[in-house]
Amino acid sequence: MQLPWRAAPKAATSGPLTMLVTFIAALLLSFVGAAAVLHADTAGSAAVAYQAGRLCGQTVPPVVDANRISVADATKALDLARDRAPRHGFPEVVGAVYSPVRQFDFNGPHPWSQFGYRDGALDHLDVIEGGSRDGLWVPQSIAETARLKLGDRGLHGTLPPVTAIYRDLADPVSPYWCAEQQRVVPNPLATEGATAPVIWFPDLDSFAAAIGPIAGSAGGLSIRFPSPIPSTVDEAADLATRGRALVTDLKTQSGLTTNTYFAKPVEVARSAATTVRDAVLPLTVISLLVGLAGIAAVAIQWTQRRRAEVRLLWSRGASPLAVGGRAVLELAAPLLVGAAAGFAAARTTLAWYAPSTDLTAGTGTRAALIVAGVAAAALAVITATVALRVHQTLQTTGAPRRRTWTRWLPWELVTAVLAYLAWAHLESTPTRLAFGQPLPESPDAVGLAFPLLVVLTIALATVRLTRWALRAAHRLRLWRAPAVHLAVRRLSAAAGSAVGIVLVGVLAVGTLTVGVGVADAQRDALDTKSGLFVGAESSAQIPERVARAGLPADIAAHATVVGVVKSNNGVVLAVDPATFTRGAWLGDRDPDTVHTQLAQLTAPNSALRVGSTPDTDQAIPRVGTLHPVGHVASFPLVGTGRGYVVSAAALPDTAEIDVWQVWSAEPVDTLLAKLDAAGIHRLHAQGKLRALDGLPFLTVTWTFDFVAALGVVLAVVAAAALALAVEVRRRQNALAGSLARRMGLTPRTLVASHLVEFGALAGLSVLAGGAAGWSCAAVSAPLLDPSPWLRPVAAAPDLRSLAAVTVAGAALVVALVCWSAVRSVTTARVGELIRG
């Protein structure tokens, strides 16, 4: 027979709700498939960006250095680099040569200084006086010390004249100078003569002619190859490959030290992307299967809505497969449009769920192919579901045999065993050491799968218990509570869809909760560990005289001074209780509480114990005998280790404290700029953001951010499944409700019965999923902590706000679906329902 092929797409408009549900299901399916591919790829890009951000931009490409080299050999190395670098894709070469640090003569004075030349150096100096580029550029500090003026000549008049005086370079330096910072920025706390500012020559030839004979073989060389910072793993790998080839090519020149600092970060970034992909793959597959099950439910609903036409087509000789093709013709348009919309949504909302927006070439094509495969699978599911339904309804004689082995198979035991194996893998992960110190553990997919397997186990166990409860509910007699009785009866009659909704709902709430919980726990852990490690947002070592005299007002407004003494008994901090809370990192500590604790330190040598320090008097070298008067579990810089906190004013003598630091609540660049402006020498500056290698923490965070995003998608699927279940049973519910109303069922009881029915499904999903997610987050957060030896260990954050939002969302869905179900009853015509 000839099926109405042309009329099929138009006929779909007679069921707008079916089209809408098909569109949403396809959108979510394609979104999940595309987002998984895009997210895994951007995790690698984010890792590349993070690793590059921890390095100077000029050290991301290969670097070449040499010490104790003659100026002639340095010139040859520069010529070789300029010849070979373009062959390997590095068109720009920035070379620099330096003389040794010595007390060169400048018409009498002999300040410590060094001479140098660097390509483009004069373009990146702040000129104070002069500016002609045909002579020497002298730093302000040397000009003032040697009383140099424009036109003066050093080394008994053998040097070019001074044509400019520039402002001394200071940390933080510009990106142009970051790779040369150790050479061009003097360290005021270093040994005398170890470092000195640089007097710059205008060109390499004049430097070689004047300084070559003086430097001998004690000169220095640096060659940099500035290149755009890679944004993806493939770009980074290409840069590292070209860098290794260039380094190999330059090794023909003896005396050069070559390195490719970015080779290892590229491997780490690729590993991070693989870990994230493998960790989210199981949940992604489960989400796709859930979405395909929703497509199958849409197909069943279509079969029921088109039952008269389906029977007519079958009676005229159409096969079940042909009827399935008719369903595809009707539903293909909203499904394909939904798939395209899902792909577009995954691409445009990349910044919402992914750690980066930089994609490797070809990733979008792979995501599109996944979407096409998912759409084809959805069309196949529609065809197969409708064909099987028609076969069972119209062709099968006798009672159909149900295969119940899948229901009785203990799937939850299988997932529980897998969860145990993942937990055992986490527990048995060995600690990696470097130079005797433990390194952060790089998370792997097996360990990251542990909380997801636990959530899946709890969801499957909840479904099995729900199925048993609904099977036993037929025996209940609750006519004294008619709303509850009717709700239980409807749930028992549609046990299959009920347990499906519970499964998706528990997975949605569980994955959302565990995703948010673990991701926030890792963020908090990195922030807490970094803050405790540094002691403040930023810190720097300062001279003792500055610590005694006090900080300038603009620095002191956001900072405090702390003395540090390290001994076998732990770390002793000499603090200023009055200003400590201004600059120290307090985390979630209450500033008033900290101030009250420090206010106890008034008696001579009174101290606060930190961590497991014994509650006894202790004689500390260079400090004296300390008398504990209180205890805190952790403290900035000390962490949770052993140590004491004392008031500097309560110590008899602070002269023995040789390390003084300024702790500031401002970023490290701001602190250093203010210290330089005040003329305060500093050393060992560090900021909280770069104190620890945060990539292992971020890998876990990125993984569970995507888990949380999948939880949101599953929540939408659960809400759509609940609405679809009501739509599938619309005729039966409308007929039963209308007849019940004619027999005296009040509108209030009708509404209450539907609220109980839908509220039970939503409440069970929220309760079981929330409990599963919270418990998994609490257990998994410390297990997934990449550095558990650095206390405190990651712990589950406060999830009460998330729980409130989840409950509110579930209540809103229940209210809307209940309104739809009640409206179908109140607007139904019993006569038409009976005839239909």
Side-chain angles (χ1 to χ4, degrees):
M1 64 164 292
Q2 182 179 1
L3 293 177
W5 303 102
R6 296 180 180 177
K10 185 177 180 180
T13 58
S14 62
L17 183 59
T18 302
M19 291 185 64
L20 178 62
V21 173
T22 304
F23 172 82
I24 293 176
L27 185 150
L28 296 176
L29 263 175
S30 61
F31 176 86
V32 169
V37 176
L38 300 178
H39 179 270
D41 184 77
T42 58
S45 300
V48 168
Y50 179 80
Q51 299 278 51
R54 292 177 62 85
L55 296 173
C56 168
Q58 292 185 6
T59 59
V60 172
V63 298
V64 177
D65 291 287
N67 293 310
R68 300 191 177 279
I69 187 174
S70 67
V71 174
D73 289 341
T75 303
K76 292 179 182 178
L78 275 173
D79 292 339
L80 179 65
R82 291 192 176 101
D83 176 62
R84 303 290 177 85
R87 305 178 188 179
H88 301 282
F90 298 99
E92 184 178 359
V93 178
V94 177
V97 289
Y98 302 93
S99 73
V101 177
R102 293 177 183 171
Q103 289 181 299
F104 293 104
D105 173 72
F106 286 93
N107 302 327
H110 294 72
W112 289 102
S113 59
Q114 61 176 325
F115 295 98
Y117 167 79
R118 191 171 195 238
D119 296 326
L122 304 187
D123 296 328
H124 297 85
L125 296 174
D126 185 8
V127 177
I128 298 175
E129 186 178 355
S132 176
R133 300 195 174 205
D134 55 356
L136 299 182
W137 285 34
V138 180
Q140 183 181 13
S141 59
I142 292 181
E144 293 176 350
T145 302
R147 296 184 295 277
L148 292 177
K149 302 182 295 297
L150 297 181
D152 290 347
R153 293 174 178 267
L155 294 181
H156 309 289
T158 60
L159 294 180
V162 175
T163 58
I165 297 174
Y166 71 91
R167 195 180 311 279
D168 286 64
L169 296 171
D171 187 24
V173 296
S174 66
Y176 172 83
W177 293 110
C178 62
E180 307 293 296
Q181 182 170 333
Q182 298 298 323
R183 293 186 182 269
V184 301
V185 179
N187 182 355
L189 300 181
T191 305
E192 184 180 13
T195 61
V198 183
I199 299 173
W200 297 102
F201 274 75
D203 55 71
L204 182 59
D205 292 337
S206 61
F207 175 89
I211 304 301
I214 299 174
S217 60
L221 168 71
S222 75
I223 306 176
R224 305 294 181 253
F225 308 91
S227 302
I229 300 299
S231 58
T232 65
V233 175
D234 287 354
E235 291 178 3
D238 176 68
L239 178 67
T241 301
R242 290 186 288 111
R244 282 191 292 265
L246 175 60
V247 163
T248 302
D249 206 359
L250 294 180
K251 283 184 178 179
T252 57
Q253 175 78 16
S254 61
L256 301 182
T257 301
T258 58
N259 208 333
T260 51
Y261 294 111
F262 208 57
K264 183 61 176 178
V266 171
E267 298 176 7
V268 173
R270 193 180 296 279
S271 175
T274 303
T275 298
V276 172
R277 181 201 64 195
D278 294 345
V280 303
L281 181 60
L283 184 60
T284 302
V285 172
I286 292 173
S287 301
L288 292 176
L289 292 177
V290 168
L292 292 176
I295 294 292
V298 172
I300 293 174
Q301 194 272 340
W302 179 90
T303 306
Q304 293 182 348
R305 188 169 57 85
R306 296 290 195 192
R307 62 189 180 281
E309 184 178 354
V310 167
R311 184 176 293 274
L312 177 62
L313 292 173
W314 177 76
S315 66
R316 292 182 176 181
S319 66
L321 190 60
V323 178
R326 169 59 190 268
V328 167
L329 286 176
E330 283 199 23
L331 301 178
L335 190 145
L336 295 178
V337 172
F343 175 77
R347 187 65 183 87
T348 56
T349 61
L350 194 61
W352 168 66
Y353 64 86
S356 173
T357 56
D358 294 317
L359 293 172
T360 303
T363 303
T365 303
R366 291 196 300 272
L369 292 176
I370 293 293
V371 169
V374 167
L379 294 175
V381 166
I382 292 175
T383 304
T385 302
V386 173
L388 183 61
R389 192 78 170 182
V390 172
H391 172 72
Q392 291 177 344
T393 305
L394 302 177
Q395 290 185 337
T396 304
T397 58
R401 293 185 302 171
R402 294 184 177 180
R403 299 179 180 179
T404 59
W405 64 271
T406 55
R407 294 184 179 180
W408 290 104
L409 188 67
W411 296 105
E412 58 271 26
L413 293 181
V414 176
T415 56
V417 170
L418 294 176
Y420 171 78
L421 294 176
W423 172 83
H425 178 77
L426 281 174
E427 286 289 314
S428 62
T429 301
T431 300
R432 296 184 297 120
L433 298 178
F435 306 108
Q437 298 295 326
L439 289 175
E441 298 171 357
S442 299
D444 58 4
V446 176
L448 295 177
F450 165 71
L452 305 180
L453 290 170
V454 174
V455 170
L456 181 58
T457 300
I458 295 176
L460 293 174
T462 302
V463 165
R464 189 172 296 278
L465 294 176
T466 302
R467 182 179 288 114
W468 290 349
L470 291 179
R471 185 175 300 167
H474 288 287
R475 303 184 181 90
L476 291 178
R477 297 294 184 268
L478 299 172
W479 288 114
R480 292 186 178 181
V484 177
H485 185 86
L486 290 174
V488 171
R489 282 289 181 265
R490 284 195 296 267
L491 287 173
S492 300
S497 60
V499 296
I501 293 170
V502 169
L503 174 61
V504 180
V506 174
L507 283 176
V509 178
T511 53
L512 176 61
T513 305
V514 77
V516 172
V518 174
D520 287 352
Q522 297 304 313
R523 290 191 186 95
D524 294 344
L526 178 59
D527 186 65
T528 300
K529 292 173 188 284
S530 300
L532 289 178
F533 185 81
V534 176
E537 185 68 32
S538 60
S539 70
Q541 183 178 339
I542 57 176
E544 180 184 358
R545 59 174 179 79
V546 177
R548 290 178 178 273
L551 298 170
D554 60 333
I555 301 176
H558 304 284
T560 186
V561 175
V562 179
V564 182
V565 176
K566 294 184 179 181
S567 68
N568 294 332
N569 295 321
V571 179
V572 179
L573 299 183
V575 305
D576 179 10
T579 63
F580 185 77
T581 55
R582 294 182 192 169
W585 184 88
L586 302 180
D588 58 356
R589 297 174 177 84
D590 179 43
D592 293 335
T593 302
V594 175
H595 184 75
T596 302
Q597 291 171 335
L598 296 179
Q600 305 176 59
L601 307 177
T602 55
N605 284 14
S606 57
L608 286 177
R609 295 187 298 115
V610 181
S612 60
T613 308
D615 190 10
T616 58
D617 293 353
Q618 290 287 333
I620 307 296
R622 295 187 296 167
V623 177
T625 302
L626 299 181
H627 312 293
V629 296
H631 175 261
V632 290
S634 64
F635 204 79
L637 190 67
V638 183
T640 56
R642 300 177 61 179
Y644 295 93
V645 181
V646 301
S647 172
L651 292 178
D653 185 13
T654 58
E656 294 295 330
I657 300 178
D658 54 0
V659 175
W660 290 94
Q661 296 179 347
V662 54
W663 290 4
S664 176
E666 297 180 313
V668 64
D669 291 348
T670 303
L671 172 62
L672 296 182
K674 289 184 176 181
L675 290 174
D676 291 335
I680 299 175
H681 299 319
R682 69 288 190 295
L683 187 66
H684 304 314
Q686 60 179 339
K688 190 180 72 172
L689 293 179
R690 295 191 178 185
L692 299 176
D693 181 9
L695 186 58
F697 294 89
L698 295 177
T699 301
V700 179
T701 300
W702 297 334
T703 300
F704 283 91
D705 279 341
F706 187 68
V707 169
L710 286 183
V712 174
V713 173
L714 287 173
V716 176
V717 172
L722 185 60
L724 185 61
V726 173
E727 177 64 20
V728 168
R729 295 185 290 119
R730 175 178 291 272
R731 181 176 177 276
Q732 297 93 319
N733 289 342
L735 179 58
S738 299
L739 293 176
R741 288 191 64 192
R742 287 174 175 263
M743 291 186 291
L745 184 68
T746 63
R748 179 180 298 178
T749 304
L750 177 65
V751 173
S753 69
H754 283 91
L755 284 176
V756 170
E757 178 187 1
F758 305 138
L761 297 177
L764 180 59
S765 299
V766 171
L767 183 62
W774 183 86
S775 60
C776 285
V779 173
S780 302
L783 288 176
L784 296 175
D785 190 336
S787 57
W789 48 84
L790 187 59
R791 303 292 172 147
V793 177
D798 187 358
L799 298 175
R800 285 179 292 184
S801 58
L802 176 63
V805 172
T806 303
V807 171
L812 178 61
V813 171
V814 167
L816 292 176
V817 176
C818 177
W819 171 81
S820 176
V822 171
R823 186 174 180 274
S824 68
V825 174
T826 57
T827 59
R829 296 181 180 180
V830 180
E832 294 182 2
L833 291 173
I834 294 176
R835 285 194 301 270

